[in-house]
Amino acid sequence: MDTYLPCDVCEVTSLENVSAWDSICVIESEPPILSGIFAEHRSFDKAFDSEVTCFKDPKLNLRIVNAPVGVLDDFDDVRVYARASGKAIARAIKAGGKSVILVLPEAKNTSGRYQYSALQSLLGALHELYVPIQLREDVPAQKQRIEKMGVYHSDAKYLKEIVTKATQFEKGLFAARDVGGGDPERMAPPKVQSYVDRLFAKASNIKLTVISDLTVFQKDFPLFEAVNRAASSVPRHCGRIIYLEYTAPKTAKKTVILVGKGVTYDTGGADIKAGGIMAGMSRDKCGAAFVGGFMKYVSDTAPQHTNVIGVMCMVRNSVGEECYVSDEVITARSGVRVRVGNTDAEGRMCMADALCQMKQRALTMPDPHLFTIATLTGHAFLAVGPGYTIVMDNGPARDQGHGNELKKNGDLIGDPFEVSTVQREDFSHHQSKIIGEDVIQANNLPSSRNPRGHQTPAAFIMLASGLDKHGTNSSKPLKYSHLDIAGSAGDYPEMATGAPLLAMAKTHLI
């Protein structure tokens, strides 16, 4: 079994001889070999085409799970196939299935809202089969939910294409789920480094560099160092900045630079999270987890003309005698003097210096586009709800229609976005109030109680990193987009998702 797949996956080119399998899960389509028994069940079960059903086929002598997507309307999207597939696999496992054939939707639309229905069906099944890293390591007997999965489509060439694409995506999503969903000790910063070391151990096309020296943090990453200060006294919690660099084998035409928030546990720091809202804060590293998973996908697919750099800013926002506090004034790498307003606004702090560093490098790279990716605000979750990423572009990125393109591709491939806009008021929100300070990091309210609570942090990141000096009318404009994945990363107790890997890959690599 591939280490980064939930089970062995193989192509099945015929349903005539299936004695090696115990279950068939059918997503929307009706294979001819099953048409008789489908008609029989449909005749006495009015819910057959709208509910998941499980029954035995006496001819094939195995269980059949039928998972229809139902009647779709203008407000459905391709994710209905992933949900149906996940339900089908879960039902087969509940019935005792260990070797399952997944029958993909038969339609092969090359355009339209459901052109990725087969891909989403397979990815939905793989997501359902994922087993958290702690369980895989602590209880090896439970590391797989089934032994193997076969995938069937009547067109063998199309089948091979879908299985290849889906497994490439899944390996990246799998790694992102491991890092994002790992508990605060299993995925503390040094252990994230160890995991990434293994993830890319055989990847000759990825250059891996790690910063762990506290003196380097103090000198070159002072905002990150402030967040790391309390945790640094505990070696197993001490921060890491992990760089993953891919250089295109042919002349690069563009550069994608990703800086991910990797807060392995967020206590809130001195502004401690109270009232029972600290549970689930080990998911505050899903931005960096996405970066690691995306770079796995980049390594496996090897884009020919695109350079990609990923930065995982891994830090624990601990509380203690060494923790940073509100009212501190810290000079960022960019030279901007930042007044701390709330230590629970640590995500923007841990990324800003690395973004500044990448901004400096981007000026010498072909067609660069910088990103920050973070589970940054509760406001984003309230604004768009679970399952959606928010994209906010600066002027140069907006002028090229980036946000709308990302939304269009995300809608198609089942990794949806909502487009939000950073306005002048968002920059004003962070302007200094007294001499000696350039930028205020936050006020005393949680993002969910601030008007424009997910937009203002994007403005802060631009101000603190110096990216505000590289707008449309500057002498050196740079494209920059902030992605708030608080709604799409997977809120506990749901599994981490790896979002927005699909949409980003389709927009910037495929």
Side-chain angles (χ1 to χ4, degrees):
M1 187 187 83
D2 190 296
T3 305
Y4 301 102
L5 290 175
C7 67
D8 287 327
V9 178
C10 64
E11 299 158 29
V12 174
T13 56
S14 173
L15 296 178
E16 296 292 336
N17 183 9
V18 290
S19 58
W21 306 88
D22 61 36
S23 308
I24 296 179
C25 293
V26 180
I27 312 303
E28 185 187 41
S29 298
E30 187 174 310
I33 197 171
L34 298 175
S35 59
I37 197 165
F38 269 43
E40 179 184 339
H41 280 269
R42 187 176 286 116
S43 68
F44 65 81
D45 183 358
K46 291 184 178 180
F48 186 77
D49 291 318
S50 59
E51 302 286 342
V52 174
T53 52
C54 180
F55 51 89
K56 181 179 179 179
D57 184 330
K59 179 182 177 181
L60 296 178
N61 193 34
L62 42 66
R63 66 180 61 84
I64 307 296
V65 178
N66 180 46
V69 298
V71 178
L72 305 180
D73 64 23
D74 292 347
F75 300 98
D76 286 306
D77 62 64
V78 73
R79 290 175 296 167
V80 299
Y81 289 91
R83 288 192 283 267
S85 183
K87 289 177 181 178
I89 291 292
R91 185 66 183 88
I93 293 172
K94 188 174 287 188
K98 292 295 182 182
S99 55
V100 181
I101 296 174
L102 181 72
V103 178
L104 298 176
E106 194 61 30
K108 297 182 295 180
N109 299 324
T110 57
S111 61
R113 286 189 296 155
Y114 301 108
Q115 62 186 277
Y116 290 101
S117 58
L119 178 66
Q120 272 291 311
S121 297
L122 183 45
L123 288 174
L126 292 168
H127 180 83
E128 178 64 31
L129 290 171
Y130 172 78
V131 174
I133 187 170
Q134 294 96 319
L135 184 57
R136 301 200 313 268
E137 293 177 342
D138 296 346
V139 190
Q142 297 184 40
K143 69 179 181 179
Q144 292 177 241
R145 299 188 68 193
I146 64 175
E147 295 168 0
K148 60 180 179 177
M149 182 169 69
V151 188
Y152 172 80
H153 191 277
S154 62
D155 185 329
K157 182 179 178 181
Y158 180 70
L159 174 64
K160 182 178 289 292
E161 176 187 333
I162 292 299
V163 170
T164 298
K165 286 181 178 180
T167 52
Q168 287 172 336
F169 278 130
E170 176 60 21
K171 291 175 186 179
L173 294 168
F174 191 101
R177 289 188 208 110
D178 274 356
V179 175
D183 76 29
E185 291 297 327
R186 175 58 189 87
M187 285 297 171
K191 289 192 175 181
V192 173
Q193 178 186 348
S194 298
Y195 183 91
V196 171
D197 283 341
R198 291 195 300 275
L199 181 63
F200 295 103
K202 297 180 181 179
S204 60
N205 57 4
I206 298 291
K207 177 184 176 184
L208 172 62
T209 310
V210 180
I211 298 177
S212 60
D213 190 327
L214 297 180
T215 59
V216 175
F217 291 156
Q218 292 165 0
K219 178 177 180 292
D220 295 332
F221 305 91
L223 299 181
F224 178 94
E225 189 275 335
V227 181
N228 183 57
R229 193 190 306 160
S232 65
S233 60
V234 181
R236 72 178 191 277
H237 293 163
C238 193
R240 298 288 191 274
I241 301 180
I242 301 169
Y243 299 85
L244 300 162
E245 301 188 41
Y246 171 85
T247 301
K250 298 182 180 179
T251 302
K253 298 178 181 178
K254 64 185 291 187
T255 306
V256 177
I257 303 174
L258 311 165
V259 179
K261 174 186 175 183
V263 177
T264 61
Y265 200 73
D266 181 17
T267 67
D271 289 292
I272 197 163
K273 293 179 183 291
I277 62 171
M278 207 183 296
M281 284 298 104
S282 61
R283 294 287 179 90
D284 217 7
K285 58 187 180 307
C286 285
F290 154 77
V291 171
F294 190 84
M295 295 306 296
K296 171 64 175 169
Y297 178 82
V298 168
S299 177
D300 288 349
T301 57
Q304 297 296 290
H305 297 285
T306 304
N307 293 333
V308 188
I309 301 174
V311 187
M312 303 171 68
C313 302
M314 309 307 306
V315 66
R316 178 176 169 123
N317 190 20
S318 293
V319 61
E321 60 188 6
E322 291 290 340
C323 65
Y324 82 122
V325 296
S326 298
D327 297 338
E328 288 189 40
V329 179
I330 305 168
T331 301
R333 180 189 181 103
S334 63
V336 172
R337 290 175 60 78
V338 175
R339 182 185 182 90
V340 177
N342 189 325
T343 63
D344 198 18
E346 83 297 332
R348 62 197 77 175
M349 297 278 284
C350 78
M351 294 187 292
D353 290 324
L355 181 63
C356 177
Q357 180 191 39
M358 290 298 106
K359 171 204 71 179
Q360 294 161 340
R361 290 188 59 182
L363 293 170
T364 64
M365 295 178 172
D367 190 21
H369 195 142
L370 295 126
F371 291 85
T372 46
I373 310 95
T375 49
L376 205 66
T377 65
H379 190 278
F381 188 92
L382 289 174
V384 299
Y388 298 87
T389 298
I390 296 177
V391 55
M392 289 158 272
D393 290 337
N394 74 345
R398 187 176 63 245
D399 290 347
Q400 293 195 2
H402 171 260
N404 290 329
E405 185 71 11
L406 195 53
K407 176 174 171 52
K408 181 185 75 172
N409 287 325
D411 287 345
L412 284 176
I413 204 166
D415 191 7
F417 274 75
E418 297 287 0
V419 179
S420 192
T421 307
V422 182
Q423 304 284 5
R424 172 55 55 195
E425 294 88 341
D426 301 316
F427 288 90
S428 301
H429 181 81
H430 289 283
Q431 290 297 331
S432 63
K433 304 296 189 290
I434 63 173
I435 294 174
E437 305 162 7
D438 299 319
V439 175
I440 300 173
Q441 168 235 29
N443 61 20
N444 296 117
L445 296 175
S447 68
S448 57
R449 292 184 58 199
N450 264 306
R452 305 186 61 78
H454 69 266
Q455 294 102 326
T456 64
F460 170 83
I461 292 170
M462 284 186 256
L463 289 165
S465 65
L467 264 172
D468 61 313
K469 304 297 192 296
H470 295 274
T472 303
N473 296 322
S474 71
S475 60
K476 297 178 180 178
L478 287 172
K479 289 176 289 184
Y480 165 70
S481 302
H482 173 59
L483 311 183
D484 196 324
I485 62 171
S488 60
D491 200 25
Y492 180 84
E494 301 297 325
M495 289 293 182
T497 65
L501 193 152
L502 302 181
M504 286 289 287
K506 178 164 174 54
T507 302
H508 293 283
L509 299 179
I510 298 175

